[in-house]
Amino acid sequence: MLSRHAQFIWQAAAMLFLFGFSSVGVGRGLAVEKTPAADEKKGSPEGAAERGYRFLLDKPYLTPDFDQEVFDELWKTWEEPLRTEAGKATPAERRAMAYSRYGLIERPDDPRHRPLQYVVDDKGNWCMNCLACHQGKVAGKVYPGLPNSLFALETLTDDVRATKERLGKKLSRMELGKRFIPLGTTNGTTNAVMFGVALLAFRDEQLNVRPLSAPPSLTTSHDHDAPAWWNFHRRRSIYSDGFAAKNHRALMQFLLDQNNAADKFREWEPDFKDVFAWLDSLTPPKYPWETDAKLADAGHKIFEQHCQQCHGAAGRETRFPNKITPIEEVGTDPVRLDALTVRQRKAYQASWFGEFGKQPLVADPGGYVPPPLDGIWASAPYFHNGSVPTLWHVLHPDERPKIWRRSEDGYDQKRVGLEVEVSDSLPEKAMKLTSERRKYFDTTLRGKSAAGHDFPDQLNEDEKRALLEYLKTI
C-alpha cells in the first residue's frame, strides 16, 4: 500500500483532469454557426440534443476550479509588457485579453460575458466543461464541435495558482495535479487519455473510490489533439486507436472527481444520453470560400482511388470503414498508441464505463483508425497529435515544418489550414517564457513527431493540387 502522503499526491495528480470539457465558444464580433440549442424556438418542447447542449453549458458536474475574483486578478501574474497594458485597460478590454491568452471564447449575447468553455454559476464559481478542448474557432468563426486548438490550459493553471497563492486561497486539484502530470505542453493539446487512466485507477469496477496500492503506469509526455465532434455520428468506436466502443458512458469518465461518488454517475447518466444525442446531431461545416469545381471533381476521383479505402467516402450517411491501420504502415508518432497498456484498456472495459465487459474492446490495437474527413478543412492541425498545421503539409511530408506557431484568427486558404509562422528553432522569447513556448509546436519533442502518413508521395504535384481542392468541399 502507498503511504497516506503518496496516495494524496497521486490522488491530486489524477484528479486534475477529472472535470472533462464541454462548451462551445464565441467572442464578440465572431460569426457563430447555430447549434440545436440556438435553434430552439420559444414555447417548443426541448429535445434530447437541446438538453444535452444546455447541460454542457450550464450544469457543473465537478467542483469549481476558481472563482470570479481569481479570474479578474489573473492579469497581475502576466509577464511584461502585457501586465502593464492590462493595468491600463478597461475591465472589458482586460477580459478580452484574458480570453485571448487562454483560448476562451465568449458566449454570444451573454450579458455576463461568460466563456463557452466554463460553467460559471451565480456565485461566480468557474467549472471547466467538455468544450474547453472540444470547441474552438477557425478564421474567427465558431462551429459546433470544432476542436479548440487555442486552449492554453497549462498557462491558465499556472496563472491561477500564482493568483490563488497571492490571495491566500486554497489550491484546487488542477494546480496540484499539474505538478505531477502535464495538462498539455502545447496550447491546444490535451493529456486527457492519461488522466483517464489515473482517475480510473482510484476506482473499482462499480466506480467506488478505493485505496491505491501502486501508482498507475503513465506516459506523462503524451499530448493529443481533440477530434472534430461533427464526425461522432459516423464513428463506431472512440479514440485515435479506436480501442473503446462509442457509448454515452464513455463521455462521463472525466467526471471522476473524488467528490463524485459512484451513485452520481447513475444519477447523471440520463444527462449524458442527451449529450450523446447532441454530439450525434452535429454536422460538418461547409467551406466558406470559393472552390474550383472542375479541379475538385478531379480530386474526388483521386480520393476514391487513394484515400477512401481507409478514411471512407464523405457524407453523413455513408459507411465509415472504422479500420485500424498498423503503426508500421502509417508511421505516425507511436507515443499515443503505446501510452495505454493492454491491462489499462481491459480495466476500462471491465468497469461501469464498458458495461462490465459487455462493450466491445480492442485491447491491443497496434495502430490508429484513420478518421472521417468530413469538414477536414476546418479541423487543423492534423494527425492525432496535432503536429501538422495544414492539409498542404499533410500532402507534402518532406515540407512539414519543424517548429510552428499559429495565429489566433488567421486562415491559410492556399494551403488549407492554420495560418502559421515556421522556424527551425524557438525564438529567444519562447526560450525564456514558458507561456510563450507553449504557443509553439515543436515536432522534435517526444510524442510530437510530424513524421509518417507518407502515402501522398505516390501522387504527382497536379494530383495533390486536385486532391487538396476536393478536401475543401467535403
Side-chain angles (χ1 to χ4, degrees), residues 291-401:
T291 58
D292 184 327
K294 184 177 181 180
L295 186 62
D297 185 60
H300 188 186
K301 294 180 175 61
I302 295 168
F303 181 88
E304 291 177 326
Q305 295 169 4
H306 295 275
C307 312
Q308 189 167 302
Q309 181 180 0
C310 292
H311 290 283
R316 180 178 172 85
E317 304 306 326
T318 59
R319 180 183 176 277
F320 174 60
N322 212 87
K323 60 182 288 188
I324 293 172
T325 301
I327 189 64
E328 297 82 9
E329 183 178 339
V330 68
T332 49
D333 194 295
V335 170
R336 165 61 186 85
L337 179 64
D338 297 338
L340 284 177
T341 66
V342 170
R343 181 178 179 180
Q344 288 165 347
R345 297 176 200 272
K346 288 183 176 179
Y348 168 85
Q349 187 211 26
S351 73
W352 182 84
F353 296 117
E355 297 186 18
F356 309 109
K358 293 181 181 179
Q359 289 288 340
L361 173 78
V362 182
D364 189 9
Y368 298 116
V369 176
L373 299 185
D374 304 67
I376 191 68
W377 71 268
S379 61
Y382 303 108
F383 291 2
H384 69 275
N385 59 0
S387 59
V388 182
T390 74
L391 287 176
W392 185 91
H393 288 110
V394 171
L395 298 178
H396 295 80
D398 293 338
E399 301 294 330
R400 293 170 190 164

Side-chain angles (χ1 to χ4, degrees), residues 49-203:
E50 288 81 9
R51 285 195 305 271
Y53 181 66
R54 177 170 54 81
F55 288 145
L56 291 179
L57 284 178
D58 297 327
K59 186 171 181 178
Y61 293 95
L62 300 150
T63 51
D65 303 322
F66 50 87
D67 59 26
Q68 190 66 47
E69 181 186 17
V70 169
F71 183 82
D72 291 342
E73 293 278 317
L74 290 176
W75 66 273
K76 295 180 180 179
T77 70
W78 297 351
E79 63 276 4
E80 293 290 4
L82 192 63
R83 183 167 65 246
T84 295
E85 293 175 14
K88 297 177 180 178
T90 66
E93 291 169 339
R94 197 178 297 140
R95 180 177 60 248
M97 293 171 70
Y99 280 20
S100 177
R101 178 178 175 86
Y102 304 124
L104 305 179
I105 309 169
E106 187 175 312
R107 302 184 188 193
D109 304 319
D110 180 25
R112 294 169 58 189
H113 308 290
R114 294 169 296 173
L116 287 158
Q117 288 77 17
Y118 281 81
V119 176
V120 184
D121 67 20
D122 292 338
K123 296 181 179 179
N125 295 310
W126 287 52
C127 179
M128 191 190 302
N129 60 29
C130 299
L131 299 183
C133 289
H134 291 282
Q135 185 55 65
K137 58 181 179 177
V138 59
K141 187 172 183 177
V142 175
Y143 297 96
L146 175 70
N148 190 357
S149 61
L150 289 166
F151 190 39
L153 181 57
E154 285 247 350
T155 298
L156 173 57
T157 304
D158 283 346
D159 292 353
V160 167
R161 181 187 181 95
T163 302
K164 284 183 176 180
E165 289 176 341
R166 181 173 58 82
L167 297 176
K169 295 198 173 190
K170 184 178 179 181
L171 300 181
S172 76
R173 61 192 180 280
M174 287 296 289
E175 298 91 60
L176 294 171
K178 180 187 173 298
R179 300 176 67 178
F180 304 95
I181 306 177
L183 301 170
T185 55
T186 302
N187 293 353
T189 63
T190 172
N191 204 11
V193 173
M194 285 298 95
F195 280 108
V197 171
L199 295 170
L200 193 57
F202 288 92
R203 304 277 178 147

Side-chain angles (χ1 to χ4, degrees), residues 238-252:
I238 57 174
Y239 301 122
S240 56
D241 56 12
F243 89 89
K246 183 180 74 173
N247 66 84
H248 65 278
R249 289 187 179 182
L251 305 176
M252 303 178 67

Side-chain angles (χ1 to χ4, degrees), residues 192-217:
V193 173
M194 285 298 95
F195 280 108
V197 171
L199 295 170
L200 193 57
F202 288 92
R203 304 277 178 147
D204 64 16
E205 293 179 354
Q206 296 282 353
L207 304 188
N208 298 301
V209 176
R210 65 179 180 184
L212 188 63
S213 58
S217 172

